[in-house]
Amino acid sequence: MTLNGPDGVDVANSVTLDRNKAQYLLFTGKKRPPGGWKAGMYEGSVMVTQGGKVRMERQWRAEMR
């Protein structure tokens, strides 16, 4: 799971799981900087793989004003 800011820099990343899990809740994020979030487009993605194959991949975008 990744979250990228408007300048393409990683805002947050989560780690790869160490083993298979039937269910798992995962989130990524970062506390708001003192001056607030930079305006622009933020992009996130999540990928689930199993046995080296991509089983699910989702991407999204949100604009901060």
Short mmCIF file of all heavy atoms in Angstrom, two decimals:
data_model
loop_
_atom_site.label_atom_id
_atom_site.label_comp_id
_atom_site.label_asym_id
_atom_site.label_seq_id
_atom_site.Cartn_x
_atom_site.Cartn_y
_atom_site.Cartn_z
N MET A 1 0.85 -1.16 0.00
CA MET A 1 0.00 0.00 0.00
C MET A 1 0.90 1.23 0.00
O MET A 1 1.84 1.31 0.79
CB MET A 1 -0.89 -0.03 1.25
CG MET A 1 -1.91 1.07 1.27
SD MET A 1 -2.95 1.03 2.74
CE MET A 1 -3.89 -0.43 2.48
N THR A 2 0.64 2.16 -0.90
CA THR A 2 1.43 3.38 -0.98
C THR A 2 0.53 4.60 -1.10
O THR A 2 -0.60 4.51 -1.57
CB THR A 2 2.38 3.37 -2.19
OG1 THR A 2 1.62 3.31 -3.39
CG2 THR A 2 3.35 2.21 -2.15
N LEU A 3 1.06 5.73 -0.68
CA LEU A 3 0.38 7.02 -0.81
C LEU A 3 1.41 8.03 -1.27
O LEU A 3 2.43 8.21 -0.60
CB LEU A 3 -0.24 7.44 0.52
CG LEU A 3 -0.95 8.78 0.55
CD1 LEU A 3 -2.12 8.80 -0.43
CD2 LEU A 3 -1.44 9.09 1.96
N ASN A 4 1.17 8.64 -2.43
CA ASN A 4 2.11 9.61 -3.01
C ASN A 4 1.49 11.00 -3.04
O ASN A 4 0.30 11.15 -3.35
CB ASN A 4 2.49 9.22 -4.43
CG ASN A 4 3.26 7.93 -4.47
OD1 ASN A 4 4.10 7.67 -3.62
ND2 ASN A 4 2.96 7.09 -5.44
N GLY A 5 2.31 12.01 -2.75
CA GLY A 5 1.87 13.40 -2.76
C GLY A 5 1.91 14.00 -4.15
O GLY A 5 2.31 13.36 -5.12
N PRO A 6 1.49 15.27 -4.27
CA PRO A 6 1.41 15.94 -5.57
C PRO A 6 2.74 16.04 -6.30
O PRO A 6 2.77 16.10 -7.51
CB PRO A 6 0.88 17.33 -5.25
CG PRO A 6 0.65 17.39 -3.80
CD PRO A 6 1.07 16.12 -3.18
N ASP A 7 3.84 16.05 -5.58
CA ASP A 7 5.15 16.14 -6.22
C ASP A 7 5.74 14.76 -6.52
O ASP A 7 6.88 14.64 -6.91
CB ASP A 7 6.11 16.94 -5.35
CG ASP A 7 6.12 16.47 -3.90
OD1 ASP A 7 5.47 15.45 -3.59
OD2 ASP A 7 6.77 17.13 -3.08
N GLY A 8 4.95 13.70 -6.33
CA GLY A 8 5.38 12.34 -6.62
C GLY A 8 6.16 11.67 -5.50
O GLY A 8 6.54 10.52 -5.62
N VAL A 9 6.38 12.38 -4.41
CA VAL A 9 7.14 11.85 -3.29
C VAL A 9 6.24 10.95 -2.43
O VAL A 9 5.07 11.26 -2.21
CB VAL A 9 7.72 12.99 -2.44
CG1 VAL A 9 8.38 12.48 -1.18
CG2 VAL A 9 8.69 13.81 -3.26
N ASP A 10 6.80 9.84 -1.94
CA ASP A 10 6.06 8.95 -1.04
C ASP A 10 5.67 9.70 0.23
O ASP A 10 6.53 10.24 0.92
CB ASP A 10 6.89 7.74 -0.64
CG ASP A 10 6.99 6.70 -1.73
OD1 ASP A 10 6.23 6.81 -2.72
OD2 ASP A 10 7.79 5.78 -1.60
N VAL A 11 4.38 9.73 0.53
CA VAL A 11 3.90 10.29 1.78
C VAL A 11 3.93 9.19 2.84
O VAL A 11 4.31 9.41 3.98
CB VAL A 11 2.47 10.86 1.62
CG1 VAL A 11 1.90 11.30 2.95
CG2 VAL A 11 2.47 12.01 0.62
N ALA A 12 3.52 8.00 2.45
CA ALA A 12 3.49 6.87 3.38
C ALA A 12 3.54 5.56 2.60
O ALA A 12 3.07 5.48 1.48
CB ALA A 12 2.23 6.93 4.23
N ASN A 13 4.11 4.56 3.22
CA ASN A 13 4.18 3.21 2.68
C ASN A 13 3.90 2.22 3.79
O ASN A 13 4.28 2.46 4.93
CB ASN A 13 5.58 2.90 2.13
CG ASN A 13 5.74 3.31 0.70
OD1 ASN A 13 4.93 2.95 -0.13
ND2 ASN A 13 6.77 4.08 0.43
N SER A 14 3.26 1.14 3.48
CA SER A 14 3.10 0.07 4.46
C SER A 14 4.04 -1.07 4.06
O SER A 14 4.56 -1.10 2.96
CB SER A 14 1.65 -0.41 4.51
OG SER A 14 1.27 -0.90 3.25
N VAL A 15 4.23 -1.98 4.95
CA VAL A 15 5.17 -3.07 4.72
C VAL A 15 4.50 -4.26 4.06
O VAL A 15 3.28 -4.41 4.10
CB VAL A 15 5.81 -3.53 6.06
CG1 VAL A 15 6.60 -2.40 6.66
CG2 VAL A 15 4.77 -4.02 7.02
N THR A 16 5.31 -5.11 3.48
CA THR A 16 4.84 -6.37 2.93
C THR A 16 4.59 -7.33 4.09
O THR A 16 5.39 -7.40 5.02
CB THR A 16 5.90 -6.96 1.98
OG1 THR A 16 6.14 -6.01 0.95
CG2 THR A 16 5.43 -8.26 1.37
N LEU A 17 3.50 -8.07 4.03
CA LEU A 17 3.19 -9.03 5.10
C LEU A 17 4.21 -10.16 5.09
O LEU A 17 4.70 -10.57 4.04
CB LEU A 17 1.78 -9.60 4.91
CG LEU A 17 0.65 -8.57 4.95
CD1 LEU A 17 -0.69 -9.26 4.75
CD2 LEU A 17 0.67 -7.78 6.24
N ASP A 18 4.52 -10.67 6.26
CA ASP A 18 5.55 -11.69 6.41
C ASP A 18 5.08 -13.11 6.10
O ASP A 18 5.88 -14.03 5.94
CB ASP A 18 6.15 -11.65 7.81
CG ASP A 18 5.12 -11.89 8.90
OD1 ASP A 18 3.91 -11.84 8.61
OD2 ASP A 18 5.52 -12.12 10.06
N ARG A 19 3.76 -13.31 6.02
CA ARG A 19 3.21 -14.64 5.72
C ARG A 19 1.77 -14.47 5.26
O ARG A 19 1.19 -13.39 5.37
CB ARG A 19 3.29 -15.56 6.93
CG ARG A 19 2.51 -15.06 8.13
CD ARG A 19 2.76 -15.93 9.37
NE ARG A 19 2.21 -15.34 10.55
CZ ARG A 19 0.94 -15.45 10.95
NH1 ARG A 19 0.09 -16.16 10.24
NH2 ARG A 19 0.54 -14.88 12.06
N ASN A 20 1.16 -15.55 4.76
CA ASN A 20 -0.23 -15.51 4.35
C ASN A 20 -1.13 -15.27 5.54
O ASN A 20 -0.87 -15.78 6.63
CB ASN A 20 -0.63 -16.82 3.67
CG ASN A 20 0.07 -17.01 2.34
OD1 ASN A 20 0.51 -16.05 1.72
ND2 ASN A 20 0.18 -18.25 1.90
N LYS A 21 -2.20 -14.54 5.33
CA LYS A 21 -3.16 -14.26 6.39
C LYS A 21 -4.57 -14.34 5.78
O LYS A 21 -4.80 -13.78 4.71
CB LYS A 21 -2.92 -12.89 6.99
CG LYS A 21 -1.50 -12.75 7.56
CD LYS A 21 -1.37 -11.49 8.37
CE LYS A 21 0.02 -11.19 8.80
NZ LYS A 21 0.77 -12.10 9.54
N ALA A 22 -5.47 -15.03 6.44
CA ALA A 22 -6.83 -15.16 5.93
C ALA A 22 -7.55 -13.82 5.95
O ALA A 22 -8.29 -13.48 5.04
CB ALA A 22 -7.61 -16.19 6.75
N GLN A 23 -7.32 -13.03 7.00
CA GLN A 23 -7.89 -11.69 7.12
C GLN A 23 -6.84 -10.78 7.74
O GLN A 23 -6.07 -11.22 8.60
CB GLN A 23 -9.13 -11.69 8.00
CG GLN A 23 -10.29 -12.43 7.42
CD GLN A 23 -11.52 -12.29 8.32
OE1 GLN A 23 -11.50 -11.67 9.36
NE2 GLN A 23 -12.60 -12.89 7.88
N TYR A 24 -6.83 -9.53 7.29
CA TYR A 24 -5.86 -8.60 7.84
C TYR A 24 -6.32 -7.18 7.56
O TYR A 24 -6.73 -6.88 6.43
CB TYR A 24 -4.49 -8.84 7.19
CG TYR A 24 -3.36 -8.17 7.91
CD1 TYR A 24 -2.84 -8.72 9.07
CD2 TYR A 24 -2.80 -7.00 7.43
CE1 TYR A 24 -1.79 -8.12 9.73
CE2 TYR A 24 -1.75 -6.40 8.08
CZ TYR A 24 -1.24 -6.95 9.24
OH TYR A 24 -0.21 -6.35 9.90
N LEU A 25 -6.29 -6.33 8.56
CA LEU A 25 -6.64 -4.93 8.39
C LEU A 25 -5.34 -4.14 8.31
O LEU A 25 -4.47 -4.29 9.17
CB LEU A 25 -7.48 -4.45 9.59
CG LEU A 25 -7.82 -2.96 9.59
CD1 LEU A 25 -8.70 -2.62 8.40
CD2 LEU A 25 -8.52 -2.60 10.89
N LEU A 26 -5.21 -3.34 7.29
CA LEU A 26 -3.97 -2.61 7.05
C LEU A 26 -4.31 -1.18 6.69
O LEU A 26 -5.25 -0.93 5.94
CB LEU A 26 -3.20 -3.28 5.91
CG LEU A 26 -1.86 -2.73 5.52
CD1 LEU A 26 -0.85 -2.95 6.65
CD2 LEU A 26 -1.36 -3.41 4.26
N PHE A 27 -3.56 -0.24 7.20
CA PHE A 27 -3.75 1.15 6.81
C PHE A 27 -2.38 1.81 6.71
O PHE A 27 -1.39 1.31 7.24
CB PHE A 27 -4.64 1.90 7.79
CG PHE A 27 -4.04 2.05 9.17
CD1 PHE A 27 -3.30 3.17 9.50
CD2 PHE A 27 -4.22 1.05 10.12
CE1 PHE A 27 -2.75 3.29 10.77
CE2 PHE A 27 -3.67 1.18 11.39
CZ PHE A 27 -2.93 2.31 11.70
N THR A 28 -2.35 2.91 6.00
CA THR A 28 -1.13 3.69 5.91
C THR A 28 -1.51 5.16 6.04
O THR A 28 -2.64 5.54 5.74
CB THR A 28 -0.37 3.42 4.59
OG1 THR A 28 0.91 4.03 4.66
CG2 THR A 28 -1.12 3.93 3.38
N GLY A 29 -0.62 5.95 6.50
CA GLY A 29 -0.91 7.36 6.66
C GLY A 29 0.22 8.09 7.35
O GLY A 29 1.27 7.52 7.65
N LYS A 30 -0.01 9.34 7.59
CA LYS A 30 0.98 10.19 8.21
C LYS A 30 0.25 11.35 8.86
O LYS A 30 -0.78 11.80 8.34
CB LYS A 30 1.95 10.70 7.14
CG LYS A 30 3.14 11.40 7.65
CD LYS A 30 4.08 11.72 6.49
CE LYS A 30 5.33 12.38 7.00
NZ LYS A 30 6.26 12.67 5.92
N LYS A 31 0.75 11.84 9.99
CA LYS A 31 0.13 12.98 10.64
C LYS A 31 0.25 14.21 9.75
O LYS A 31 1.22 14.37 9.00
CB LYS A 31 0.77 13.25 11.99
CG LYS A 31 0.42 12.20 13.01
CD LYS A 31 0.90 12.63 14.37
CE LYS A 31 0.46 11.58 15.37
NZ LYS A 31 0.27 12.12 16.68
N ARG A 32 -0.73 15.08 9.85
CA ARG A 32 -0.73 16.31 9.06
C ARG A 32 0.47 17.17 9.44
O ARG A 32 0.73 17.39 10.61
CB ARG A 32 -2.03 17.07 9.32
CG ARG A 32 -2.15 18.34 8.51
CD ARG A 32 -3.46 19.02 8.80
NE ARG A 32 -3.56 19.23 10.24
CZ ARG A 32 -4.11 20.27 10.82
NH1 ARG A 32 -4.65 21.20 10.09
NH2 ARG A 32 -4.15 20.38 12.11
N PRO A 33 1.20 17.68 8.45
CA PRO A 33 2.33 18.55 8.74
C PRO A 33 1.85 19.85 9.40
O PRO A 33 0.69 20.25 9.21
CB PRO A 33 2.94 18.84 7.37
CG PRO A 33 2.32 17.89 6.42
CD PRO A 33 1.05 17.42 7.02
N PRO A 34 2.71 20.54 10.14
CA PRO A 34 2.31 21.78 10.82
C PRO A 34 1.67 22.82 9.90
O PRO A 34 0.73 23.49 10.28
CB PRO A 34 3.63 22.31 11.40
CG PRO A 34 4.50 21.11 11.54
CD PRO A 34 4.10 20.18 10.43
N GLY A 35 2.13 22.94 8.66
CA GLY A 35 1.57 23.91 7.73
C GLY A 35 0.39 23.38 6.94
O GLY A 35 -0.15 24.06 6.08
N GLY A 36 -0.04 22.15 7.20
CA GLY A 36 -1.14 21.52 6.46
C GLY A 36 -0.61 20.76 5.25
O GLY A 36 0.58 20.81 4.94
N TRP A 37 -1.49 20.04 4.59
CA TRP A 37 -1.11 19.26 3.42
C TRP A 37 -0.94 20.16 2.21
O TRP A 37 -1.70 21.11 2.01
CB TRP A 37 -2.16 18.19 3.13
CG TRP A 37 -2.21 17.15 4.17
CD1 TRP A 37 -3.19 16.99 5.12
CD2 TRP A 37 -1.25 16.13 4.42
NE1 TRP A 37 -2.88 15.93 5.92
CE2 TRP A 37 -1.69 15.38 5.52
CE3 TRP A 37 -0.05 15.79 3.82
CZ2 TRP A 37 -0.98 14.31 6.03
CZ3 TRP A 37 0.67 14.71 4.33
CH2 TRP A 37 0.20 13.98 5.42
N LYS A 38 0.04 19.86 1.39
CA LYS A 38 0.29 20.58 0.16
C LYS A 38 -0.89 20.38 -0.79
O LYS A 38 -1.40 19.27 -0.93
CB LYS A 38 1.58 20.05 -0.46
CG LYS A 38 2.06 20.81 -1.65
CD LYS A 38 3.40 20.24 -2.09
CE LYS A 38 3.98 21.06 -3.22
NZ LYS A 38 5.29 20.54 -3.63
N ALA A 39 -1.34 21.46 -1.43
CA ALA A 39 -2.43 21.35 -2.40
C ALA A 39 -1.98 20.55 -3.61
O ALA A 39 -0.81 20.58 -4.00
CB ALA A 39 -2.89 22.74 -2.83
N GLY A 40 -2.91 19.81 -4.18
CA GLY A 40 -2.60 19.04 -5.39
C GLY A 40 -3.22 17.65 -5.35
O GLY A 40 -4.03 17.33 -4.48
N MET A 41 -2.83 16.82 -6.30
CA MET A 41 -3.39 15.49 -6.45
C MET A 41 -2.56 14.47 -5.66
O MET A 41 -1.35 14.40 -5.81
CB MET A 41 -3.39 15.10 -7.93
CG MET A 41 -4.19 13.87 -8.23
SD MET A 41 -5.97 14.03 -7.91
CE MET A 41 -6.43 15.23 -9.15
N TYR A 42 -3.24 13.70 -4.83
CA TYR A 42 -2.62 12.61 -4.07
C TYR A 42 -3.09 11.29 -4.68
O TYR A 42 -4.25 11.17 -5.06
CB TYR A 42 -3.01 12.69 -2.60
CG TYR A 42 -2.32 13.81 -1.87
CD1 TYR A 42 -2.71 15.12 -2.05
CD2 TYR A 42 -1.25 13.55 -1.02
CE1 TYR A 42 -2.07 16.16 -1.40
CE2 TYR A 42 -0.59 14.58 -0.37
CZ TYR A 42 -1.01 15.89 -0.56
OH TYR A 42 -0.36 16.90 0.08
N GLU A 43 -2.18 10.33 -4.78
CA GLU A 43 -2.50 9.04 -5.39
C GLU A 43 -2.16 7.91 -4.43
O GLU A 43 -1.10 7.93 -3.81
CB GLU A 43 -1.73 8.87 -6.69
CG GLU A 43 -2.06 9.92 -7.72
CD GLU A 43 -1.27 9.77 -9.01
OE1 GLU A 43 -0.37 8.92 -9.06
OE2 GLU A 43 -1.59 10.50 -9.96
N GLY A 44 -3.06 6.96 -4.34
CA GLY A 44 -2.83 5.80 -3.50
C GLY A 44 -2.99 4.52 -4.30
O GLY A 44 -3.65 4.50 -5.34
N SER A 45 -2.37 3.46 -3.81
CA SER A 45 -2.52 2.16 -4.46
C SER A 45 -2.33 1.04 -3.45
O SER A 45 -1.65 1.22 -2.44
CB SER A 45 -1.53 2.00 -5.62
OG SER A 45 -0.22 1.97 -5.12
N VAL A 46 -2.96 -0.07 -3.74
CA VAL A 46 -2.80 -1.28 -2.94
C VAL A 46 -2.72 -2.46 -3.89
O VAL A 46 -3.41 -2.49 -4.92
CB VAL A 46 -3.95 -1.45 -1.91
CG1 VAL A 46 -5.28 -1.61 -2.60
CG2 VAL A 46 -3.68 -2.61 -0.98
N MET A 47 -1.84 -3.41 -3.58
CA MET A 47 -1.68 -4.60 -4.42
C MET A 47 -1.62 -5.83 -3.52
O MET A 47 -0.91 -5.84 -2.52
CB MET A 47 -0.40 -4.52 -5.24
CG MET A 47 -0.21 -5.71 -6.16
SD MET A 47 1.38 -5.75 -7.03
CE MET A 47 1.34 -4.22 -7.91
N VAL A 48 -2.40 -6.85 -3.88
CA VAL A 48 -2.38 -8.12 -3.16
C VAL A 48 -1.85 -9.17 -4.13
O VAL A 48 -2.36 -9.31 -5.24
CB VAL A 48 -3.80 -8.52 -2.68
CG1 VAL A 48 -3.78 -9.88 -2.01
CG2 VAL A 48 -4.36 -7.46 -1.74
N THR A 49 -0.79 -9.88 -3.71
CA THR A 49 -0.22 -10.93 -4.53
C THR A 49 -0.27 -12.26 -3.79
O THR A 49 -0.31 -12.30 -2.57
CB THR A 49 1.25 -10.62 -4.91
OG1 THR A 49 2.02 -10.54 -3.72
CG2 THR A 49 1.36 -9.33 -5.68
N GLN A 50 -0.27 -13.32 -4.57
CA GLN A 50 -0.25 -14.66 -4.00
C GLN A 50 0.51 -15.55 -4.97
O GLN A 50 0.17 -15.59 -6.16
CB GLN A 50 -1.66 -15.19 -3.78
CG GLN A 50 -1.69 -16.57 -3.16
CD GLN A 50 -3.12 -17.09 -3.03
OE1 GLN A 50 -3.97 -16.80 -3.86
NE2 GLN A 50 -3.36 -17.85 -2.00
N GLY A 51 1.52 -16.22 -4.48
CA GLY A 51 2.32 -17.09 -5.34
C GLY A 51 2.97 -16.36 -6.49
O GLY A 51 3.12 -16.90 -7.58
N GLY A 52 3.31 -15.09 -6.28
CA GLY A 52 3.95 -14.31 -7.33
C GLY A 52 3.00 -13.71 -8.35
O GLY A 52 3.42 -13.03 -9.27
N LYS A 53 1.69 -13.98 -8.21
CA LYS A 53 0.69 -13.44 -9.13
C LYS A 53 -0.11 -12.34 -8.46
O LYS A 53 -0.47 -12.45 -7.28
CB LYS A 53 -0.26 -14.53 -9.59
CG LYS A 53 0.40 -15.61 -10.41
CD LYS A 53 -0.62 -16.64 -10.85
CE LYS A 53 0.05 -17.74 -11.66
NZ LYS A 53 -0.91 -18.76 -12.06
N VAL A 54 -0.42 -11.29 -9.20
CA VAL A 54 -1.25 -10.20 -8.67
C VAL A 54 -2.70 -10.69 -8.64
O VAL A 54 -3.26 -11.08 -9.65
CB VAL A 54 -1.13 -8.93 -9.55
CG1 VAL A 54 -2.08 -7.86 -9.06
CG2 VAL A 54 0.30 -8.43 -9.55
N ARG A 55 -3.29 -10.70 -7.44
CA ARG A 55 -4.68 -11.16 -7.27
C ARG A 55 -5.65 -9.98 -7.23
O ARG A 55 -6.82 -10.11 -7.56
CB ARG A 55 -4.81 -11.97 -5.99
CG ARG A 55 -3.97 -13.22 -5.98
CD ARG A 55 -4.39 -14.15 -7.07
NE ARG A 55 -3.60 -15.38 -7.01
CZ ARG A 55 -3.75 -16.37 -7.82
NH1 ARG A 55 -4.63 -16.31 -8.78
NH2 ARG A 55 -2.99 -17.43 -7.71
N MET A 56 -5.17 -8.82 -6.77
CA MET A 56 -6.01 -7.63 -6.69
C MET A 56 -5.12 -6.41 -6.71
O MET A 56 -4.06 -6.40 -6.09
CB MET A 56 -6.84 -7.62 -5.41
CG MET A 56 -7.78 -6.43 -5.31
SD MET A 56 -8.51 -6.24 -3.68
CE MET A 56 -7.23 -5.31 -2.87
N GLU A 57 -5.54 -5.39 -7.45
CA GLU A 57 -4.81 -4.12 -7.45
C GLU A 57 -5.82 -2.99 -7.60
O GLU A 57 -6.71 -3.06 -8.44
CB GLU A 57 -3.82 -4.09 -8.62
CG GLU A 57 -2.93 -2.88 -8.61
CD GLU A 57 -1.83 -2.94 -9.66
OE1 GLU A 57 -1.85 -3.85 -10.52
OE2 GLU A 57 -0.96 -2.08 -9.62
N ARG A 58 -5.71 -2.00 -6.75
CA ARG A 58 -6.61 -0.84 -6.79
C ARG A 58 -5.79 0.43 -6.70
O ARG A 58 -4.80 0.49 -5.96
CB ARG A 58 -7.61 -0.86 -5.62
CG ARG A 58 -8.52 -2.05 -5.59
CD ARG A 58 -9.57 -1.97 -6.70
NE ARG A 58 -10.54 -3.02 -6.58
CZ ARG A 58 -10.47 -4.20 -7.18
NH1 ARG A 58 -9.46 -4.49 -7.93
NH2 ARG A 58 -11.41 -5.10 -7.03
N GLN A 59 -6.21 1.44 -7.44
CA GLN A 59 -5.57 2.75 -7.39
C GLN A 59 -6.65 3.80 -7.25
O GLN A 59 -7.77 3.61 -7.72
CB GLN A 59 -4.76 2.99 -8.65
CG GLN A 59 -3.63 2.00 -8.83
CD GLN A 59 -2.90 2.19 -10.15
OE1 GLN A 59 -3.36 2.87 -11.05
NE2 GLN A 59 -1.74 1.57 -10.26
N TRP A 60 -6.32 4.89 -6.59
CA TRP A 60 -7.27 5.98 -6.44
C TRP A 60 -6.54 7.31 -6.38
O TRP A 60 -5.35 7.35 -6.14
CB TRP A 60 -8.16 5.78 -5.21
CG TRP A 60 -7.42 5.79 -3.92
CD1 TRP A 60 -7.21 6.85 -3.10
CD2 TRP A 60 -6.77 4.70 -3.31
NE1 TRP A 60 -6.46 6.48 -2.01
CE2 TRP A 60 -6.18 5.16 -2.12
CE3 TRP A 60 -6.59 3.35 -3.64
CZ2 TRP A 60 -5.44 4.32 -1.27
CZ3 TRP A 60 -5.87 2.55 -2.80
CH2 TRP A 60 -5.32 3.02 -1.64
N ARG A 61 -7.29 8.37 -6.61
CA ARG A 61 -6.74 9.73 -6.60
C ARG A 61 -7.68 10.63 -5.82
O ARG A 61 -8.90 10.45 -5.89
CB ARG A 61 -6.59 10.26 -8.01
CG ARG A 61 -5.62 9.46 -8.85
CD ARG A 61 -5.65 9.88 -10.28
NE ARG A 61 -5.25 11.29 -10.37
CZ ARG A 61 -4.80 11.88 -11.45
NH1 ARG A 61 -4.72 11.19 -12.56
NH2 ARG A 61 -4.46 13.12 -11.46
N ALA A 62 -7.12 11.59 -5.13
CA ALA A 62 -7.91 12.58 -4.41
C ALA A 62 -7.18 13.91 -4.47
O ALA A 62 -5.97 13.97 -4.30
CB ALA A 62 -8.12 12.17 -2.96
N GLU A 63 -7.92 14.97 -4.74
CA GLU A 63 -7.31 16.29 -4.82
C GLU A 63 -7.50 17.05 -3.52
O GLU A 63 -8.60 17.14 -3.00
CB GLU A 63 -7.93 17.09 -5.98
CG GLU A 63 -7.24 18.41 -6.19
CD GLU A 63 -7.73 19.16 -7.42
OE1 GLU A 63 -8.56 18.61 -8.14
OE2 GLU A 63 -7.27 20.28 -7.62
N MET A 64 -6.39 17.57 -3.01
CA MET A 64 -6.42 18.41 -1.81
C MET A 64 -6.34 19.85 -2.28
O MET A 64 -5.52 20.21 -3.10
CB MET A 64 -5.21 18.10 -0.91
CG MET A 64 -5.20 16.70 -0.37
SD MET A 64 -6.46 16.41 0.85
CE MET A 64 -5.78 17.26 2.23
N ARG A 65 -7.23 20.68 -1.75
CA ARG A 65 -7.26 22.10 -2.15
C ARG A 65 -6.85 22.98 -1.00
O ARG A 65 -6.96 22.72 0.09
CB ARG A 65 -8.64 22.48 -2.61
CG ARG A 65 -9.04 21.69 -3.83
CD ARG A 65 -10.42 22.02 -4.23
NE ARG A 65 -10.81 21.11 -5.31
CZ ARG A 65 -11.70 21.42 -6.19
NH1 ARG A 65 -12.31 22.57 -6.18
NH2 ARG A 65 -12.02 20.57 -7.12
#
